[in-house]
Amino acid sequence: MLKENIKTIRKSRGLSQEELAIKVNVVRQTISKWEQGLSVPDSEMLIRISEVLEIPVSTLLGENISEFKKDDLKVISDKLEIINLQLLQRKLARRKIIHLTLIFICISVIVIGCCLFLLHSSYLNWNYDDPEKSVLGVFFHSFEWLFVRIAPIIVIISLVGIMLTRNKD
């Protein structure tokens, strides 16, 4: 197993026996003996080989590793393409949800503002003389006071968000 793994991984990395030998500080014949199974590298040499080939030692010592075939690369590239398309669809769906939410927020703020305008509501001139209406008045006054100050900011942020999330087809 070790002999096949060294040879397979070396070839997959595009290295000749000579190039691998130079990188691990041995002669080319030593690499040839390892790949033929005539000798085996010691533990320190296994670590050096794994570092040069950029794989774990366990992979060198593990089961046989088959070379990638063109068909295998085609299957992998097809799977990656499917994954990329799925990620793009998720991104577009999220973008659409954010876009529609921002439109809803903007419309809601405008509708509430129009309702307050049509009611001729003036949060500074609210009548608190009636005790039963004073609690409701405080609530309404607080809401209106906060709305008048925050609504323009919300509308501006929503409009900017709508422009940034719109489809650019």
Side-chain angles (χ1 to χ4, degrees):
M1 281 188 265
L2 176 64
K3 64 181 184 177
E4 291 92 6
N5 289 349
I6 293 174
K7 184 175 185 175
T8 303
I9 296 169
R10 174 184 59 79
K11 285 184 176 182
S12 71
R13 299 290 191 261
L15 296 172
S16 65
Q17 286 183 345
E18 183 69 32
E19 292 169 327
L20 180 58
I22 291 170
K23 289 186 178 199
V24 296
N25 273 345
V26 294
V27 293
R28 187 203 55 79
Q29 289 80 0
T30 304
I31 302 293
S32 177
K33 287 181 182 179
W34 292 340
E35 289 180 356
Q36 292 174 15
L38 300 175
S39 68
V40 292
D42 63 6
S43 60
E44 289 180 24
M45 189 55 67
L46 280 173
I47 293 171
R48 190 177 301 155
I49 294 169
S50 71
E51 289 171 353
V52 168
L53 296 177
E54 299 174 345
I55 56 160
V57 175
S58 58
T59 303
L60 277 176
L61 299 173
E63 297 179 10
N64 289 343
I65 300 169
S66 60
E67 291 186 50
F68 282 117
K69 298 175 184 163
K70 290 182 182 178
D71 295 336
D72 293 341
L73 293 176
K74 173 78 170 131
V75 169
I76 291 171
S77 68
D78 289 344
K79 287 181 182 179
L80 286 174
E81 184 176 348
I82 290 170
I83 290 169
N84 284 335
L85 288 174
Q86 290 172 344
L87 290 173
L88 178 63
Q89 288 173 345
R90 285 184 189 169
K91 180 181 177 183
L92 292 175
R94 268 190 242 124
R95 182 181 216 152
K96 186 175 183 178
I97 289 170
I98 291 170
H99 184 76
L100 294 174
T101 302
L102 290 171
I103 290 173
F104 175 75
I105 289 171
C106 192
I107 291 172
S108 299
V109 168
I110 291 171
V111 167
I112 292 171
C114 289
C115 289
L116 291 174
F117 179 75
L118 291 175
L119 291 173
H120 300 291
S121 178
S122 174
Y123 65 90
L124 295 175
N125 295 326
W126 192 266
N127 184 3
Y128 291 99
D129 293 339
D130 186 4
E132 292 178 8
K133 293 183 180 177
S134 65
V135 173
L136 180 61
V138 168
F139 172 75
F140 189 69
H141 174 73
S142 301
F143 169 76
E144 193 174 2
W145 183 87
L146 189 63
F147 181 81
V148 166
R149 282 157 177 74
I150 295 178
I153 297 169
I154 292 173
V155 169
I156 290 170
I157 291 172
S158 296
L159 290 174
V160 169
I162 290 168
M163 295 303 292
L164 292 175
T165 59
R166 74 186 184 330
N167 285 340
K168 298 172 185 169
D169 293 335

